[in-house]
Amino acid sequence: MPAAAAPVALPESVDEVLQALADEPEAMILAGGTDLMVEVNAGRRRPVSVVSLTRVRELAGWSRDGDEVVLGACLTYADMERGPLAALVPALGQAARTIGSPQIRAAATIGGNLGTASPAGDTLPVLAALDAVVETAGPQGSRRLLVGDFVTGVKQTALLPGEIVTAVRVPLRRGRQEFLKVGTRNAMVISVVMVAVVVDLDGRTVRAGLGSVAPRPVRARSAEAFAAEHADWRRGAVASPDVVARFGQLCAEATSPIDDHRSTADYRRRAVAVCASRALARVLPPEGVHGDGGPSDE
Amino acid sequence: MTFRLTVNGRPRDVEGAWLGESLLYVLRERLGLPGSKNACEQGECGSCSVRLDDRLVCACLVLAAEAQGRSVATVEGLSAGDRTLTDVQQAFLDQGAVQCGFCTPGLVMSVHDLLDRNPAPDELELREAISGNLCRCTGYGRILAAARTVVERRAAATPERELP
């Protein structure tokens, strides 16, 4: 009979993590702890064993891989909110900086945001807008799923027993990005509404991800198509206020918000429209992001 | 369960703990370090701010057993010896930044953490740095004044570099 597993496993590789989860199928997976420990402190969850991911080097940090960045599951928001990664994926940096407080951002991870899969998960609308791909590892090997397929419902994911998130692959897009969030203050707030709008100047698309307005992150496809159709792509501009307003309306129509203790469905729809319009006017401003000489790096 | 933490540079053995105990609980109830305050137990208030491997975190959101092998620094370890204060603590007193005092250890930790990384923060950086620390007495004005005082005193104490 093997020795009883330690109640806290501190594996140092993904293989060791998967083995620890195979040994202790009921184990709770711990990364930054900012979701799990709230539940434990409140007595809502009582762990009998824990598998910690924080010592796994493969899961830390991020790297550039061609026209993508690969974010390790244990990358913290503090690592995302400024520096070279925030320059490469500005909307993700903006979203990261709105999360919690410096203390929370020093601990909480992008893999945890995905694993928890809260409708209010702050990075999820950005990842959805960018068509980021979640990489998982498990007993049956590794898988890749679009964020939109990974999150299956309110705090529900496509993770199978014994599987973990190992990384997120985020495509790099040339063009401006904006993330806006409504809450009762600038820190320590669970979002009432989130809007991420990303421009792809090369693909000539506008991408809109919405959060806290449906069980899962929402892509506002008809709003995206409308904006792309009405943008002046030579200048990178949306000059008409009517287009900006209509884009906001179409984003609001893509949502299915609820009334809850943080807000009402009506307010959420209204706030999405305002934020989406504001975001579009920033990423494709009336004066354009290009000079008249044609496409350039802004 | 039994494990060893390193707290303020010293090894501390924890015995008979329950798996789910937070670092905050272990510091206060098992190791006799009540400087980190327990208020919200959900990371909202910052009163339990400690440094874990040089990152400022809420001790209530750290699983204590997971902190084994890491370096934990609490408010008790800030000053060099008994009855001495750090410049941040002194500035809090001088500026009247302490009223009921419950949030003070966390705020002192946050201001130290900020000024270690950024010796000349602007107003927004200062406010952002303490955005995870709730104070219900002061309205933050005296706390911000204390932080600015530390910045000024440290700048004054640093000899100006000769211009090339």
Side-chain angles (χ1 to χ4, degrees), chain A residues 236-251:
Chain A
V238 170
S240 162
D242 293 343
V243 172
V244 171
R246 180 68 185 144
F247 175 78
Q249 268 310 313
L250 288 169
C251 283

Side-chain angles (χ1 to χ4, degrees), chain A residues 276-296:
Chain A
S277 293
R278 196 171 290 167
L280 184 67
R282 289 182 186 174
V283 295
L284 292 173
E287 66 273 18
V289 298
H290 300 139
D292 283 337
S296 69

Side-chain angles (χ1 to χ4, degrees), chain A residues 251-273:
Chain A
C251 283
E253 286 169 20
T255 67
S256 46
I258 57 169
D259 292 329
D260 66 9
H261 59 291
R262 290 195 191 94
S263 186
T264 64
D266 282 348
Y267 178 81
R268 287 186 162 105
R269 269 187 290 269
R270 173 76 183 136
V272 163

Side-chain angles (χ1 to χ4, degrees), chain B residues 60-71:
Chain B
C60 70
L61 298 184
V62 176
L63 187 77
E66 209 277 334
Q68 55 189 295
R70 299 188 187 282
S71 158

Side-chain angles (χ1 to χ4, degrees), chain A residues 55-87:
Chain A
R55 285 155 175 82
V56 183
R57 292 186 76 93
E58 298 154 81
L59 300 180
W62 64 279
S63 60
R64 185 160 177 178
D65 182 12
D67 54 3
E68 294 180 319
V69 285
V70 184
L71 314 181
C74 287
L75 188 72
T76 65
Y77 300 127
D79 297 328
M80 282 184 268
E81 67 179 291
R82 46 177 62 90
L85 182 56

Side-chain angles (χ1 to χ4, degrees), chain A residues 103, chain B residues 35 45-51 56 73-79 84-93 97-98 101-116 126 129-130 133-135 143 146-147 150 154:
Chain A
Q103 291 93 321
Chain B
C45 74
S47 298
C48 66
S49 297
V50 299
R51 273 179 172 167
L56 191 75
T74 72
V75 70
E76 287 92 344
L78 280 178
S79 67
T84 61
L85 298 176
T86 68
D87 57 353
V88 173
Q89 290 166 325
Q90 187 62 52
F92 268 61
L93 287 183
V98 180
F102 196 86
C103 69
T104 307
L107 275 157
V108 166
M109 293 297 290
S110 289
V111 172
H112 268 292
D113 182 67
L114 169 68
L115 298 183
D116 284 357
L126 192 46
I130 64 165
N133 294 80
L134 293 183
C135 171
I143 293 165
V150 180
R154 287 188 186 182

Side-chain angles (χ1 to χ4, degrees), chain A:
Chain A
M1 187 179 137
V8 176
L10 303 171
E12 296 182 356
S13 70
V14 170
D15 286 346
E16 289 176 19
V17 171
L18 299 182
Q19 187 58 53
L21 290 172
D23 293 343
E24 291 281 339
E26 300 303 311
M28 290 183 191
I29 298 171
L30 176 69
T34 56
D35 286 328
L36 178 60
M37 287 305 289
V38 173
E39 298 286 301
V40 173
N41 289 341
R44 290 192 291 267
R45 295 180 75 179
R46 286 188 69 82
V48 291
S49 65
V50 169
V51 174
S52 167
L53 305 184
T54 57
R55 285 155 175 82
V56 183
R57 292 186 76 93
E58 298 154 81
L59 300 180
W62 64 279
S63 60
R64 185 160 177 178
D65 182 12
D67 54 3
E68 294 180 319
V69 285
V70 184
L71 314 181
C74 287
L75 188 72
T76 65
Y77 300 127
D79 297 328
M80 282 184 268
E81 67 179 291
R82 46 177 62 90
L85 182 56
L88 286 169
V89 195
L92 197 60
Q94 288 173 304
R97 197 169 169 191
T98 70
I99 293 169
S101 62
Q103 291 93 321
I104 301 296
R105 300 200 287 275
T109 67
I110 192 153
N113 213 214
L114 285 159
T116 296
S118 163
D122 293 271
T123 65
L124 303 185
V126 180
L127 296 177
L130 288 163
D131 280 327
V133 171
V134 181
E135 294 189 336
T136 69
Q140 269 79 51
S142 54
R143 298 193 291 154
R144 290 186 176 187
L145 298 101
L146 276 172
V147 165
D149 297 327
F150 177 83
V151 180
T152 56
V154 176
K155 299 194 174 183
Q156 302 291 314
T157 72
L159 278 179
L160 300 170
E163 264 189 336
I164 59 164
V165 174
T166 52
V168 193
R169 302 185 80 90
V170 181
L172 297 173
R173 314 274 180 194
R174 196 173 64 86
R176 292 190 183 181
Q177 304 184 355
E178 186 66 65
F179 174 87
L180 295 171
K181 164 169 153 180
V182 173
T184 45
R185 58 180 283 234
N186 275 346
M188 289 314 307
V189 75
I190 293 177
S191 62
V192 165
V193 151
M194 292 173 285
V195 172
V197 177
V198 172
V199 167
D200 179 351
L201 290 172
D202 298 313
R204 296 198 163 185
T205 59
V206 175
R207 297 153 162 273
L210 314 174
S212 292
V213 289
R216 305 158 55 198
V218 169
R219 279 289 291 277
R221 304 274 181 188
S222 56
E224 295 177 359
F226 174 81
E229 190 183 325
H230 290 84
D232 174 350
W233 286 107
R234 194 182 58 81
R235 295 172 52 239
V238 170
S240 162
D242 293 343
V243 172
V244 171
R246 180 68 185 144
F247 175 78
Q249 268 310 313
L250 288 169
C251 283
E253 286 169 20
T255 67
S256 46
I258 57 169
D259 292 329
D260 66 9
H261 59 291
R262 290 195 191 94
S263 186
T264 64
D266 282 348
Y267 178 81
R268 287 186 162 105
R269 269 187 290 269
R270 173 76 183 136
V272 163
V274 170
C275 290
S277 293
R278 196 171 290 167
L280 184 67
R282 289 182 186 174
V283 295
L284 292 173
E287 66 273 18
V289 298
H290 300 139
D292 283 337
S296 69
D297 282 334
E298 302 197 4

